[in-house]
Amino acid sequence: METSAKEIWNECLAIIKDNIPAQSYKTWFLPIIPLNIDNNLLTIQVPSPFFHEYIEAQYIDILSSTLKRTMGQNAKLAYRVVVDSGRKNNFAQNNNSQQGSMLLPGTNPSNTRHTFNNINNNINNNPKTFNVQSPQNQQEPTIRNPFIIPGIKKININPQLNPNYTIDNFIEGECNRLGRSAAEAIVNQLSKTPFNPLLIHGDSGLGKTHLAQAIGNSIKNMHPEKLVLYVSANKFQTQYCDAVRSNNRNDFIHFYQILDVLIIDDVQEFAGKQSTQDTFFHIFNQLQQNGKQIILTCDKNPSELKGLSKRLLSRFRWGLVAEITVPDFETRLNILRQKAYNDGINIPEDVLEYIAENVISNVRELEGALISLLAQSTLNRKEITLELTKSIMEKVVRKPKNEFSLDYILKVVCNYFKMTPEILNTKSRKREIVQARQLAMYFAKTLTTNSLAVIGMQIGNRDHSTVLHACKTIEDLLQTDKQLKAIYDEIETKLKFANNNY
Ligand code: ADP
Ligand code: MG
């Protein structure tokens, strides 16, 4: 007997449930209704176009692999969007042209770009379908054959840019004025500005990636023939290691040297990776000398960056160093207005103001708040009002997620042991000093997202293997040594509650 849509979907749900947070599962998967299955095509019903887009943006990987697991490699999925607006079975139109226009945090544009084929889907018997692709295909498209040597014909490469990031939709405020103006200047007078490199720095979620990619997009629009490439420092590093392993180091360098515009995101990730830095230094010089534009982003001012060679840091300061800071209320409000407008959703001004007043840390959280609100209003079929906003924001947004800084951890730990941070840098094997150093490293590892190399550099001036060893030691001792556990607990409390006193 054929397996029914419901049975298949239940199997999928069982897998998905184990792999995503319970709240997300409840919000995004329980409301889905499996409708029917025809050959390899499973049709599911979702309650709104927004819901559909959100699933597509956030959960396509898990959905795709789960369906393949339960239905086989040729599994296909079709959505039917049914908005309950009072009338039953009112099939909503789901406009193809809007696909991918909604900007969700963490959205990988390639998901929406290549998961759908363009079957028109306005009416119920012709639902929107897409082929379920393997998860590998869902990831960032890799640079196809990065090591091509240019021949007589100019080569073309995929710039790896997210088209949703534009300068126009990068709202200007005091917080980003310098960077944004520099971006415009670079685009309008390519290779003629002194802003080379342009280094954009600032905390997470403030728009560094957006602005850097926006420059790439504008240049590509104005000069389609220019070779533009966006790459994260991590990806650059991985590609480099692969190239070295396969004896292609020269090709790698050559590939990067033929670019017209190179955008490297999060260069702090180069910390401690000497050989990658050397290679990048080489590429950097070559591009600079040839008047090619370099754009870098970084989570710190170069003067505070640890683990990068002096010569590289000095190059970073040759052009323009532009900081992006936290946006003020007006800018936050403008960002929200724009997001709502772009998503075609009418949101009362008092609601936007309420969000702008309460979500102050960064733009990513601001967007997250708006998305939660839209999701909840869609799911519960409630109108977006100030009251609804307040109730949701209390639950969703007010989570203090700020990461501790390494400096702060160092100060709190040293303060506890009544010693100066510098003493941790000495070679002393005194038990108390070793313990303080190891605890500080352990807190840094568990409470921040810094790499072992960076932690080692800032705490104790040691290498990453020492940090690893310290973390392992503390982890073991916490299980067996009650005294250490008590110290650990006390420092942890201080870290979490003494935030303003340091
Ligand atoms: P970062 O790289 O600094 O961590 P992102 O560039 O990823 O931050 O920005 C986080 C989110 O906030 C993105 O969705 C981005 O589009 C949005 N964003 C940030 N700054 C602005 C701005 N000034 N105007 C509009 N959107 C912004
Ligand atoms: Mg970024």
Side-chain angles (χ1 to χ4, degrees):
M1 201 187 82
E2 244 188 70
T3 332
S4 73
K6 201 164 170 207
E7 280 167 326
I8 288 277
W9 186 242
N10 281 343
E11 263 182 65
C12 292
L13 284 184
I15 299 172
I16 292 169
K17 193 175 178 187
D18 280 347
N19 286 289
I20 65 172
Q23 189 55 41
S24 314
Y25 173 77
K26 251 167 85 181
T27 311
W28 298 108
F29 287 91
L30 282 188
I32 294 176
I33 302 168
L35 293 178
N36 59 53
I37 190 161
D38 186 8
N39 278 328
N40 290 318
L41 178 71
L42 172 70
T43 306
I44 56 174
Q45 178 179 312
V46 293
S48 74
F50 171 74
F51 199 101
H52 159 216
E53 293 203 5
Y54 193 86
I55 291 200
E56 203 186 301
Q58 300 291 331
Y59 298 112
I60 193 66
D61 284 358
I62 181 151
L63 202 51
S64 139
S65 55
T66 308
L67 283 171
K68 286 189 161 196
R69 224 167 110 183
T70 47
M71 294 168 60
Q73 288 303 307
N74 295 326
K76 287 181 185 169
L77 184 66
Y79 290 103
R80 184 166 300 160
V81 181
V82 179
V83 180
D84 183 356
S85 56
R87 274 179 298 148
K88 259 195 156 180
N89 279 347
N90 171 12
F91 288 95
Q93 77 289 9
N94 191 358
N95 197 341
N96 267 343
S97 64
Q98 282 200 350
Q99 278 313 315
S101 67
M102 183 173 284
L103 197 58
L104 302 167
T107 301
N108 177 347
S110 57
N111 287 348
T112 42
R113 222 187 303 135
H114 67 256
T115 50
F116 283 90
N117 54 35
N118 282 334
I119 295 175
N120 205 337
N121 67 305
N122 280 356
I123 301 303
N124 53 6
N125 60 3
N126 197 3
K128 174 161 250 170
T129 59
F130 69 91
N131 293 321
V132 178
Q133 312 230 337
S134 68
Q136 299 93 288
N137 296 344
Q138 303 295 334
Q139 287 166 1
E140 247 189 357
T142 47
I143 300 163
R144 224 178 297 135
N145 191 2
F147 308 124
I148 332 154
I149 316 246
I152 299 161
K153 267 192 178 172
K154 188 117 168 120
I155 62 156
N156 205 357
I157 58 164
N158 179 345
Q160 310 284 310
L161 292 165
N162 177 343
N164 290 321
Y165 291 143
T166 65
I167 296 187
D168 281 349
N169 70 16
F170 188 75
I171 300 286
E172 183 171 345
E174 211 45 66
C175 56
N176 58 35
R177 189 155 292 134
L178 179 62
R180 196 177 182 285
S181 319
E184 281 179 329
I186 289 173
V187 169
N188 293 326
Q189 306 160 52
L190 189 57
S191 303
K192 294 196 182 74
T193 71
F195 312 141
N196 198 16
L198 170 64
L199 184 135
I200 307 163
H201 74 93
D203 286 342
S204 171
L206 294 181
K208 302 181 296 293
T209 300
H210 183 139
L211 186 56
Q213 291 218 12
I215 300 174
N217 276 318
S218 296
I219 294 177
K220 208 59 201 162
N221 283 341
M222 284 170 79
H223 313 276
E225 78 289 353
K226 295 280 180 207
L227 294 181
V228 177
L229 181 70
Y230 165 88
V231 64
S232 68
N234 266 333
K235 191 160 173 181
F236 180 93
Q237 142 94 5
T238 318
Q239 282 182 348
Y240 171 69
C241 292
D242 288 348
V244 171
R245 213 170 300 127
S246 54
N247 254 335
N248 283 326
R249 184 171 178 274
N250 287 343
D251 290 346
F252 175 87
I253 293 175
H254 184 79
F255 168 73
Y256 273 93
Q257 284 175 344
I258 59 168
L259 297 172
D260 297 306
V261 180
L262 172 60
I263 306 165
I264 301 207
D265 207 355
D266 291 320
V267 290
Q268 74 277 358
E269 299 288 340
F270 284 153
K273 291 156 187 163
Q274 201 49 53
S275 155
T276 309
Q277 282 181 38
D278 291 346
T279 302
F280 177 59
F281 181 75
H282 193 70
I283 293 169
F284 184 105
N285 286 338
Q286 183 77 19
L287 290 176
Q288 255 249 349
Q289 275 161 21
N290 293 332
K292 305 304 173 70
Q293 180 68 46
I294 302 162
I295 297 145
L296 308 168
T297 79
C298 179
D299 68 354
K300 286 184 197 60
N301 188 310
S303 59
E304 292 163 26
L305 264 183
K306 302 259 164 69
L308 269 91
S309 68
K310 273 206 184 109
R311 57 180 195 169
L312 203 52
L313 286 176
S314 92
R315 292 293 190 281
F316 287 178
R317 292 194 216 98
W318 269 6
L320 179 72
V321 175
E323 182 177 11
I324 304 190
T325 54
V326 175
D328 58 17
F329 172 76
E330 233 8 85
T331 314
R332 295 198 296 272
L333 191 58
N334 286 339
I335 291 174
L336 287 171
R337 282 191 191 125
Q338 172 184 264
K339 301 272 171 217
Y341 179 81
N342 284 351
D343 293 350
I345 302 154
N346 212 352
I347 298 184
E349 193 63 14
D350 59 348
V351 166
L352 295 180
E353 279 174 15
Y354 181 84
I355 302 177
E357 257 163 30
N358 286 279
V359 186
I360 54 177
S361 49
N362 68 50
V363 184
R364 193 173 290 126
E365 299 230 332
L366 205 57
E367 289 184 343
L370 192 59
I371 284 169
S372 304
L373 180 63
L374 295 180
Q376 292 295 331
S377 100
T378 308
L379 274 178
N380 303 325
R381 301 189 177 93
K382 283 190 184 151
E383 212 187 312
I384 299 175
T385 59
L386 188 57
E387 201 187 344
L388 176 74
T389 312
K390 284 184 178 167
S391 75
I392 290 169
M393 299 264 293
E394 269 181 8
K395 282 184 231 125
V396 190
V397 182
R398 295 290 187 88
K399 289 177 276 170
K401 277 206 289 195
N402 284 350
E403 188 171 295
F404 297 111
S405 73
L406 293 179
D407 232 20
Y408 172 68
I409 292 176
L410 198 57
K411 278 186 193 148
V412 173
V413 173
C414 289
N415 194 284
Y416 177 90
F417 286 100
K418 302 204 171 26
M419 51 181 73
T420 61
E422 289 73 38
I423 212 157
L424 300 193
N425 293 354
T426 63
K427 295 246 169 334
S428 169
R429 299 293 309 158
K430 255 178 90 181
R431 189 179 132 85
E432 222 183 26
I433 296 177
V434 174
Q435 202 166 59
R437 189 189 301 123
Q438 292 188 330
L439 273 166
M441 287 174 170
Y442 183 73
F443 279 118
K445 169 80 176 33
T446 49
L447 298 178
T448 79
T449 51
N450 288 287
S451 69
L452 295 176
V454 169
I455 293 173
M457 246 163 307
Q458 294 210 31
I459 301 177
N461 196 18
R462 302 294 205 272
D463 67 9
H464 79 282
S465 61
T466 312
V467 182
L468 196 64
H469 174 73
C471 294
K472 185 93 193 50
T473 309
I474 297 291
E475 216 162 71
D476 292 346
L477 287 176
L478 285 177
Q479 310 292 327
T480 52
D481 183 338
K482 285 209 177 101
Q483 207 186 348
L484 180 89
K485 175 79 170 78
I487 296 176
Y488 170 89
D489 287 343
E490 220 175 303
I491 300 179
E492 192 190 30
T493 314
K494 281 187 196 299
L495 277 169
K496 291 196 171 150
F497 295 101
N499 221 341
N500 297 326
N501 299 332
Y502 286 88

